[in-house]
């Protein structure tokens, strides 16, 4: 309600009534449909303008009850001018949708698909009915589908929607798929996106491959690729995308990602999550980083670095990649008790035992006193920057209540003081919360003198610890549970 009142006030202040209908309709097309309909109270002229808006954004989160959402959508589809060309429809019902309402929406889309360029459907409903409708929309430039069976309760038990092998989308540039299954051909390779000759951005989330050992993502035009939480444990990724610039990965990294297009990537975001066989995952992660020859911006989570640290004798590995790195961002994520944390402890025990029996006993006692594992493994930041020592380092977090900020800041200060740099290290701690005013930690003392071996252009780290305020969609607890 507050959002609606705020947007209405803005529209009134702008004196939009002085503008032509076409301009007003263009402005209203950027609003959620519920708010756009609310403008009918402004005047008699505004009473019917919303009926000619070329976009419909139907989000159940904007309503107090599902019954209100169902009633609203039904009336909108009935009152919306049938002669109005529909350019965009975004249906977001993160839960079961009434079958009759879904049919009504899909029938409307089918009857207005000539000029439909952007289509988004996120529901739990009849996927076969949805895909039949989607396949008729040949003018699409953007398609977002998140389809789950009606009545499903556990994310890992959802039946996957089979992705059709032949779809005619000659103008498609943006594609988002969630909970789909890609079928392979006789050669043991799945190539679901080969026909999309203008594809620019691709996101694959919670998908799997059937009857194939390789998922080939082949596109001459693909620039942005994101892979999230996919069930592809025994499938290899093959990238054939010479224009690929941005790559994002979230989930269990168990299989090698290969292809010549890795060398074209400039920006990488990796959130490798805990898996049962962490050492195998660590080797795959190291292999991926070694193939990213021309990356300029690398963003990773602390969990990713902790998995990477399980590579045997990692700091002794000859690392020839990341030579063009300009920025390294590390997001601190709370590490839960589990296989990964135990694997890290085992590595620490092994190193301590190699030094002396006394060191091992000392470490055992420390863990018995509930000593926390380091948020960032020792030496790993320098390992990633060894071929680009001037790369800027930023450390951020939304989970400041789970970390000892002074300890992290002290860790960074120790690293850079160890290099005897003459430049002051600034650790910026910004809580970003209405309950905690932003504060800046005291700068680390400057070293006595600069070492001849330390490059003068070494970028110093910024520690940005930002607390994300809780809202209706997510919370810190939700994020911690996810990771």
């Amino acid at each position: 309600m507050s959002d609606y009142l705020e947007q209405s006030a803005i529209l009134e202040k702008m004196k939009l009534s002085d503008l032509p209908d076409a301009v007003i309709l263009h402005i209203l097309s950027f609003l959620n449909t519920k708010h756009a309909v609310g403008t009918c109270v402004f005047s008699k002229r505004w009473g019917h303008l919303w009926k000619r808006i070329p976009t419909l954004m139907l989000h159940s989160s904007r309503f107090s009850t599902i019954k209100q959402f169902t009633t609203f959508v039904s009336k909108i589809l009935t009152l919306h001018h049938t002669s109005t060309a529909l350019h965009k429809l975004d249906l977001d019902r993160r839960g079961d949708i009434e079958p009759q309402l879904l049919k009504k929406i899909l029938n409307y889309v089918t009857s207005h698909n000539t000029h439909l360029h952007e289509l988004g459907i996120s529901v739990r409903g009849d996927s076969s009915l949805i895909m039949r409708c989607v396949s008729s929309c040949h003018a699409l430039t953007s398609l977002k589908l998140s389809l789950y069976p009606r009545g499903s309760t556990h994310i890992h038990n959802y039946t996957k929607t089979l992705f059709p092998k032949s779809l005619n989308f000659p103008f498609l540039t943006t594609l988002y798929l969630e909970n789909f299954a890609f079928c392979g051909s006789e050669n043991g390779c799945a190539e679901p996106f080969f026909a999309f000759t203008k594809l620019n951005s691709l996101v694959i989330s919670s998908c799997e491959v059937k009857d194939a050992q390789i998922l080939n993502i082949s596109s001459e035009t693909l620039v942005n690729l994101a892979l999230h939480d996919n069930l592809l444990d025994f499938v290899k990724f093959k990238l054939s995308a010479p224009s690929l610039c941005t790559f994002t990965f979230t989930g269990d990294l168990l299989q090698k990602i290969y292809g010549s297009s890795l060398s074209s990537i400039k920006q990488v975001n990796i959130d490798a999550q805990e898996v049962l066989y962490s050492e195998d995952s660590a080797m795959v992660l190291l292999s991926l980083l070694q193939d990213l020859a021309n990356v300029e911006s690398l963003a990773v989570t602390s969990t990713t670095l902790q998995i990477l640290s399980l590579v045997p004798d990692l700091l002794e590995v000859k690392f020839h990649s990341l030579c063009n790195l300009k920025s390294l961002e590390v997001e601190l994520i709370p590490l839960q008790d589990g296989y990964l944390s135990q694997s890290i402890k085992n590595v620490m025990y092994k190193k301590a035992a190699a030094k002396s029996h006394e060191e091992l006993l000392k470490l055992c006692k420390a863990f018995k006193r509930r000593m926390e594992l380091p948020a960032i493994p020792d030496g790993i930041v320098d390992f990633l920057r060894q071929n680009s020592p001037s790369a800027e380092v930023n450390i951020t977090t939304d989970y400041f209540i789970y970390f000892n900020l002074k300890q992290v800041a002290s860790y960074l200060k120790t690293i850079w003081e160890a290099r005897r740099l003459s430049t002051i290290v600034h650790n910026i701690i910004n809580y970003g919360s209405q309950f905690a005013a932003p504060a800046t930690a005291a700068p680390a003392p400057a070293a006595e003198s600069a070492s001849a071996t330390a490059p003068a252009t070494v970028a110093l780290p910024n520690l940005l610890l930002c607390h994300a305020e809780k809202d209706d969609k997510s919370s810190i607890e939700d994020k911690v549970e996810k990771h």
Side-chain angles (χ1 to χ4, degrees):
M1 185 65 179
S2 60
D3 288 343
Y4 165 68
L5 294 174
E6 182 180 347
Q7 291 185 13
S8 298
I10 293 174
L11 291 173
E12 288 181 297
K13 288 180 180 179
M14 292 174 65
K15 297 183 178 180
L16 296 184
S17 296
D18 296 335
L19 300 173
D21 284 2
V23 177
I24 296 177
L25 289 172
H26 179 71
I27 295 173
L28 293 181
S29 67
F30 293 98
L31 297 180
N32 184 280
T33 301
K34 180 182 179 182
H35 295 157
V37 172
T39 61
C40 67
V41 301
F42 289 171
S43 68
K44 186 176 181 180
R45 178 194 175 196
W46 287 76
H48 301 283
L49 275 176
W50 66 267
K51 297 179 182 179
R52 294 189 284 124
I53 298 175
T55 65
L56 293 177
M57 286 185 275
L58 311 173
H59 298 171
S60 62
S61 60
R62 300 288 183 177
F63 296 84
S64 301
T65 66
I66 298 305
K67 184 178 180 180
Q68 290 180 2
F69 171 71
T70 301
T71 302
F72 176 82
V73 173
S74 296
K75 288 184 177 180
I76 289 299
L77 297 180
T78 301
L79 298 175
H80 199 255
H81 284 181
T82 56
S83 59
T84 298
L86 183 63
H87 295 162
K88 175 181 178 180
L89 183 137
D90 185 17
L91 170 64
D92 191 341
R93 166 71 182 106
R94 293 288 177 167
D96 291 349
I97 188 169
E98 289 295 327
Q100 288 302 116
L101 179 62
L102 178 60
K103 288 181 181 179
K104 190 169 186 177
I105 295 172
L106 296 179
N107 288 337
Y108 191 86
V109 170
T110 302
S111 62
H112 291 76
N113 61 15
T114 305
H115 302 285
L116 185 63
H117 299 310
E118 299 180 44
L119 177 61
I121 301 178
S122 301
V123 297
R124 292 182 190 173
D126 189 338
S127 60
S128 60
L129 199 64
I130 295 171
M131 292 309 298
R132 195 177 307 126
C133 168
V134 169
S135 62
S136 69
C137 303
H138 303 307
L140 289 178
T141 60
S142 175
L143 176 62
K144 178 180 180 180
L145 296 174
S146 176
L147 308 183
Y148 290 89
R150 180 177 167 82
S152 298
T153 57
H154 195 281
I155 188 169
H156 295 299
N157 295 330
Y158 286 142
T159 301
K160 305 294 180 185
T161 299
L162 290 178
F163 189 72
K165 290 186 177 181
S166 57
L167 285 175
N168 183 18
F169 298 140
F171 309 108
L172 194 69
T173 60
T174 302
L175 178 61
Y176 176 101
L177 298 175
E178 183 175 341
N179 198 50
F180 278 81
F182 309 116
C183 294
S185 56
E186 294 180 356
N187 62 1
C189 181
E191 300 182 78
F193 316 112
F194 183 78
F196 305 146
T197 57
K198 294 188 177 180
L199 196 61
N200 180 272
S201 297
L202 173 63
V203 179
I204 306 174
S205 179
S206 301
C207 294
E208 66 181 19
V209 174
K210 291 187 175 182
D211 306 320
Q213 292 77 45
I214 298 175
L215 175 60
N216 186 9
I217 300 177
S218 178
S219 173
E220 294 289 328
T221 58
L222 188 64
V223 175
N224 307 303
L225 172 63
L227 306 173
H228 298 304
D229 303 313
N230 295 289
L231 306 177
L232 304 170
D233 295 357
F234 304 103
V235 177
K236 293 183 179 180
F237 288 100
K238 182 180 180 181
L239 300 182
S240 303
S243 302
L244 193 62
C245 182
T246 302
F247 175 66
T248 299
F249 183 91
T250 303
D252 299 343
L253 195 57
L254 293 177
Q255 294 294 332
K256 181 176 174 60
I257 300 174
Y258 65 99
S260 57
S261 54
L262 290 174
S263 62
S264 67
I265 300 176
K266 297 293 189 294
Q267 180 177 342
V268 174
N269 310 289
I270 302 177
D271 180 7
Q273 297 173 4
E274 182 176 347
V275 291
L276 183 59
Y277 303 103
S278 297
E279 188 171 316
D280 294 340
S281 181
M283 296 303 297
V284 175
L285 178 57
L286 176 62
S287 177
L288 174 61
L289 291 172
Q290 288 176 325
D291 290 337
L292 298 171
N294 297 308
V295 169
E296 297 178 358
S297 174
L298 176 61
V300 295
T301 59
S302 55
T303 306
T304 303
L305 297 183
Q306 285 158 337
I307 292 176
L308 182 61
S309 69
L310 295 179
V311 173
D313 301 319
L314 174 67
L315 302 185
E316 305 301 322
V317 173
K318 293 183 178 180
F319 194 60
H320 302 294
S321 194
L322 301 182
C323 297
N324 299 321
L325 192 65
K326 295 180 180 178
S327 67
L328 171 62
E329 181 171 322
V330 180
E331 180 187 0
L332 300 182
I333 299 293
L335 180 63
Q336 305 300 304
D337 289 335
Y339 187 84
L340 177 57
S341 60
Q342 187 58 52
S343 297
I344 295 172
K345 289 180 181 179
N346 291 341
V347 171
M348 295 176 68
Y349 286 139
K350 185 177 180 180
K351 290 181 178 179
K355 293 180 180 179
S356 67
H357 183 67
E358 289 73 17
E359 284 292 326
L360 179 59
L361 290 177
K362 183 179 178 181
L363 182 61
C364 291
K365 291 179 180 179
F367 280 128
K368 284 185 178 180
R369 293 194 298 269
R370 303 186 66 83
M371 180 186 76
E372 295 181 1
L373 291 171
I376 301 175
D378 291 343
I380 204 161
V381 171
D382 282 342
F383 172 77
L384 293 175
R385 298 197 328 154
Q386 61 184 280
N387 297 320
S388 299
S390 62
E392 179 184 350
V393 179
N394 289 307
I395 299 180
T396 66
T397 189
D398 287 336
Y399 311 94
F400 74 95
I401 61 174
Y402 292 93
F403 292 97
N404 184 329
L405 306 189
K406 291 183 179 180
Q407 186 181 66
V408 177
S410 176
Y411 163 76
L412 287 176
K413 184 178 72 173
T414 301
I415 291 177
W416 266 263
E417 280 187 343
R419 296 183 176 189
R420 301 177 62 83
L421 297 175
S422 59
T423 312
I424 295 177
V425 176
H426 292 285
N427 299 302
I428 305 170
I429 301 178
N430 177 18
Y431 295 107
S433 168
Q434 59 179 327
F435 303 109
T440 302
E448 296 176 2
S449 61
S451 171
T453 59
T457 58
V458 169
L460 302 176
N462 286 328
L463 178 60
L464 306 172
L465 305 182
C466 303
H467 165 49
E469 294 184 21
K470 184 174 181 179
D471 55 29
D472 294 336
K473 295 183 179 180
S474 64
S475 66
I476 290 180
E477 289 77 11
D478 295 332
K479 294 181 180 180
V480 171
E481 181 180 355
K482 175 184 176 183
H483 286 276

